[in-house]
Amino acid sequence: GTIPDNIWGLIDIQELRMNDNNFEGTLPDTVGELLKLKTLHIENNNFDGTLPNSMKNLEELEKLRISGNAFDGEVPDGLCLLRTSESGSGSLEEFVADCDAFKPKCPCCTECVAHNKPAQEKPDVHEEPEADPTAAPTPTPQEVADNINEPDRSDRFNQIKHRLVDEGISTADVLKPPPKGEKRSAQRKALEWIADEDNR
């Protein structure tokens, strides 16, 4: 439904939070008569139309959230002058809106929210490509080591390391020695353990 008219007669009110309801209609010019208003939250409703020029009178307004509605048109210049910025001298520190809904785009919003975003938007699920059943399985590090017959520990270590990188099982950065004072990666430890297998 619409907001009762008597709400706009509460001239001494400092906080007005009407977000996440089903209010609809336009924002009346009388909103500019709430001169002591510091917080106005009307996000996630069904308001439409343009923002009234009278909002320039809300010189004590600090937080304004109007996203999740169907406002359009232009953001009044007087409202932007309430911003605490180089171009404004007012007290408005937070202005959250569907910036792209306005033409031109909201020039003084502090945060832009996606316009007309569905209430329950499905997450973007990344689908992994199906594995090729005919492709050879990726060998385990132990299987890689078992195919290397090198008695010298150093040579054996390097051959296993290069094979792991070539097979895409690990990367050179992960397997390289850590800087002094830092811990070895888990894969580096496993590589050393496998390379020393003949000495155990």
Side-chain angles (χ1 to χ4, degrees):
T2 58
I3 297 177
D5 291 338
N6 60 355
I7 291 292
W8 310 114
L10 303 174
I11 58 175
D12 291 324
I13 194 169
Q14 295 187 4
E15 292 192 6
L16 190 56
R17 302 174 186 268
M18 300 182 291
N19 52 292
D20 299 289
N21 287 288
N22 289 315
F23 290 124
E24 57 187 20
T26 59
L27 206 57
D29 287 334
T30 47
V31 67
E33 297 176 7
L34 307 180
L35 302 182
K36 296 183 180 181
L37 196 63
K38 295 182 181 295
T39 299
L40 178 58
H41 289 184
I42 57 172
E43 71 269 27
N44 301 325
N45 283 290
N46 297 310
F47 292 115
D48 55 18
T50 59
L51 298 177
N53 288 320
S54 63
M55 295 185 75
K56 67 182 180 181
N57 299 325
L58 304 178
E59 296 182 353
E60 295 188 17
L61 190 63
E62 297 175 354
K63 298 180 180 180
L64 175 61
R65 298 181 183 178
I66 62 172
S67 59
N69 289 289
F71 291 116
D72 55 19
E74 296 184 12
V75 176
D77 292 338
L79 180 56
C80 283
L81 290 176
L82 297 179
R83 282 277 292 114
T84 51
S85 63
E86 294 180 0
S87 59
S89 57
S91 58
L92 185 59
E93 298 177 354
E94 179 183 286
F95 183 6
V96 182
D98 304 310
C99 300
D100 290 331
F102 297 100
K103 304 299 180 187
K105 184 177 179 178
C106 180
C108 55
C109 291
T110 60
E111 182 179 344
C112 294
V113 179
H115 181 48
N116 289 335
K117 184 178 181 180
Q120 293 184 345
E121 184 174 327
K122 294 183 179 180
D124 182 15
V125 179
H126 176 66
E127 296 184 358
E128 295 289 342
E130 294 185 5
D132 183 358
T134 63
T138 301
T140 65
Q142 185 63 61
E143 289 172 340
V144 170
D146 290 343
N147 289 325
I148 295 176
N149 297 316
E150 177 57 60
D152 182 77
R153 192 269 184 189
S154 178
D155 291 341
R156 176 179 171 80
F157 180 92
N158 287 326
Q159 287 189 32
I160 296 174
K161 180 176 70 173
H162 291 309
R163 188 72 62 82
L164 291 175
V165 173
D166 291 341
E167 294 284 353
I169 300 173
S170 186
T171 65
D173 286 340
V174 172
L175 297 177
K176 70 181 181 181
K180 186 176 181 181
E182 294 188 14
K183 295 182 178 180
R184 296 169 298 168
S185 69
Q187 291 189 26
R188 172 78 187 192
K189 291 180 180 179
L191 173 59
E192 293 178 356
W193 189 87
I194 293 173
D196 287 335
E197 183 177 21
D198 292 341
N199 297 326
R200 291 196 297 272

